[in-house]
């Protein structure tokens, strides 16, 4: 397997760092939850298309994507558990 770049596993944002009213950025995807008072007024998912294209060209893309998705799945399991 080729050596892993520094950005390995960061296609998606680290939701442990999610703060309301601030972007939570991964290499290719960014999320933002806008809140004023109680509850969320808006949720945004943004794609940086040039970064996404770059990720797909990377020789370790599949493994990086898998790690990003597994981290998200585990985060959801912990949140829901």
């Amino acid at each position: 397997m080729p050596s892993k770049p520094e950005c390995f596993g960061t296609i998606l944002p680290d939701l442990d760092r999610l703060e309301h009213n601030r972007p939570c950025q991964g290499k290719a995807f960014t999320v933002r939850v806008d809140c004023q008072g109680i509850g969320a007024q808006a949720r945004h998912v943004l794609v940086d298309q040039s970064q996404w294209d770059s990720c797909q060209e990377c020789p370790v893309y599949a493994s990086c994507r898998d790690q990003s998705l597994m981290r998200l799945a585990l985060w959801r399991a912990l949140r829901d558990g």
Side-chain angles (χ1 to χ4, degrees), residues 12 19-21 23 28 51-52 59 79-80:
L12 302 174
E19 297 179 39
H20 292 155
N21 303 315
Q51 286 296 331
W52 178 242
R79 185 197 68 182
D80 295 343

Side-chain angles (χ1 to χ4, degrees), residues 31-70:
V31 296
R32 180 180 169 112
V33 178
D34 294 331
C35 292
Q36 293 178 346
I38 298 175
Q41 279 70 48
R43 293 175 175 89
H44 308 276
V45 176
L46 306 169
V47 180
D48 182 329
Q49 192 62 49
S50 66
Q51 286 296 331
W52 178 242
D53 293 342
S54 174
C55 287
Q56 291 180 307
E57 295 297 322
C58 180
V60 295
Y61 165 73
S63 179
C64 179
R65 180 201 60 220
D66 290 349
Q67 182 171 318
S68 295
L69 291 172
M70 290 307 299

